[in-house]
Amino acid sequence: MGSFPHPTAWRALKELDELARARAERARATIRRRVYALFRKRPEGFPEVEVEGVPLAGWTVIDSDGTLIPALSEKEGAHGTYKGFLGHHIFVATCNNTGEQLAATLHPGNVSANDAAVNIGIPARAVAQLPWWRRQKILFRVDGAGFSHQLIDPIASAGGRKSPTFRWEYSIGWAVTAREQAAIEICDEKNLWQPAGWRRGQ
């Protein structure tokens, strides 16, 4: 039985170079500007994220996270992961307001979720997909693996923008499970708490 020909979509993807990918990113951003403008014209306006029933009016909420994808060993970029299988590590940024994917990057399976360059690159690409009026007030949400000064500083400075109309905030942490709760209770029992603080530049 002969081998099957490569699908057209696969051939097209293999032929993409950096210039073609950049053009595709710009095309996606152009379409998104049009769609967001239509959202804006609706009677209910652009979708806003709610916290405790209160809308975060004007804020764009971007969630960023990494996911391990199992793969066969012969797949390009497949590598041993910290979970003990071969695969890839994909990082995705989504717009919580609309539920859509803004950006994604594929890495070998051994790329750490703590890699600062990876965590910085994804939000930057996500912001580039937004029209200007959704870039001014952004809340970035990243789990604890993404926490580093190298990530926080660009967010706190609104990506280096000097205009006071740009206000970027961040929320970084992880869910408190039974394991974390048990550790907190041990610290309470043994009086292990110490004052801690963080200053930019440390």
Side-chain angles (χ1 to χ4, degrees), residues 4 24 94 132 142:
F4 289 99
T94 58
W132 69 268
V142 187

Side-chain angles (χ1 to χ4, degrees), residues 51-73:
V51 176
E52 298 292 334
V54 179
L56 296 177
W59 285 87
T60 303
V61 179
I62 296 178
D63 296 322
S64 178
D65 200 4
T67 302
L68 294 173
I69 306 294
L72 298 176
S73 60

